[in-house]
Amino acid sequence: MIEVYELRNKMEFFDDAVTMYWNQWGSESNFTFYYDCMFHSCTTDCELPRFYIALHNNSIVGTYALLRNDLISRQDLFPWLACLYVVPQLRGNRVGSILLRHAQEETRKLGLTKLYLSTDLEGYYEKYDWTLLSTGYIFNGDATKIYEACLN
């Protein structure tokens, strides 16, 4: 069974979680960026950022984060789903949909009615009722698609 936890509630997985996030999105020079961001998200009283892990048989099999901003030009949109990841051996087993649903529930708990993400994927998020909202630009100037989930 897949269970999703906020990382601050499963600190025994902290080092493994940082490594998993960094392995997927980091570079050789920015491990401390991930470590620092994730560490402080576990110790702050602020609602965001928050990092989540999916566990199966006491191993991390998926991740996602809720962020104030995903380093994208649309600073007017908030919050952002980021870092959605499922280990390759469990892809196609609905782990991604479990994580997406969990992210929407956590966003609702914050009293918010919309959630955003940026991606270059085609056709994945539409299967889960995300709507293409517009084009935005990531910090390096590249265009990216912005999707919106309405949580009413």
Side-chain angles (χ1 to χ4, degrees):
M1 182 165 121
I2 305 293
E3 295 188 71
V4 183
Y5 299 93
E6 187 176 339
L7 183 56
R8 70 170 50 213
N9 298 324
K10 287 289 186 179
M11 289 301 285
E12 64 270 28
F13 291 96
F14 182 81
D15 289 334
D16 290 340
V18 171
T19 299
M20 182 171 277
Y21 277 83
W22 175 70
N23 281 336
Q24 297 312 308
W25 296 283
S27 68
E28 197 172 295
S29 63
N30 71 354
F31 181 84
T32 53
F33 171 85
Y34 284 88
Y35 186 95
D36 194 52
C37 182
M38 292 173 72
F39 176 79
H40 290 287
S41 78
C42 292
T43 60
T44 184
D45 290 333
C46 295
E47 294 175 331
L48 295 176
R50 291 288 183 249
F51 291 83
Y52 298 85
I53 56 173
L55 297 178
H56 179 66
N57 293 332
N58 218 31
S59 294
I60 301 174
V61 297
T63 66
Y64 81 87
L66 292 177
L67 306 175
R68 290 185 188 115
N69 185 276
D70 197 16
L71 300 177
I72 192 163
S73 60
R74 292 298 305 271
Q75 299 283 313
D76 58 308
L77 303 177
F78 169 89
W80 290 85
L81 172 78
C83 304
L84 181 69
Y85 175 73
V86 175
V87 295
Q89 59 270 31
L90 288 182
R91 291 180 186 164
N93 289 299
R94 306 210 34 89
V95 178
S97 67
I98 291 168
L99 292 167
L100 287 171
R101 192 171 335 121
H102 191 273
Q104 291 175 342
E105 290 169 11
E106 292 297 299
T107 302
R108 278 188 201 96
K109 287 179 189 175
L110 295 173
L112 302 170
T113 60
K114 293 187 179 185
L115 182 59
Y116 302 93
L117 65 83
S118 65
T119 187
D120 58 0
L121 287 179
E122 294 285 339
Y124 180 76
Y125 294 100
E126 293 89 343
K127 291 188 291 188
Y128 302 102
D129 296 324
W130 288 73
T131 304
L132 181 62
L133 179 66
S134 69
T135 298
Y137 300 90
I138 57 177
F139 65 94
N140 67 3
D142 290 347
T144 186
K145 295 178 293 197
I146 297 173
Y147 283 83
E148 173 184 72
C150 293
L151 310 176
N152 301 358

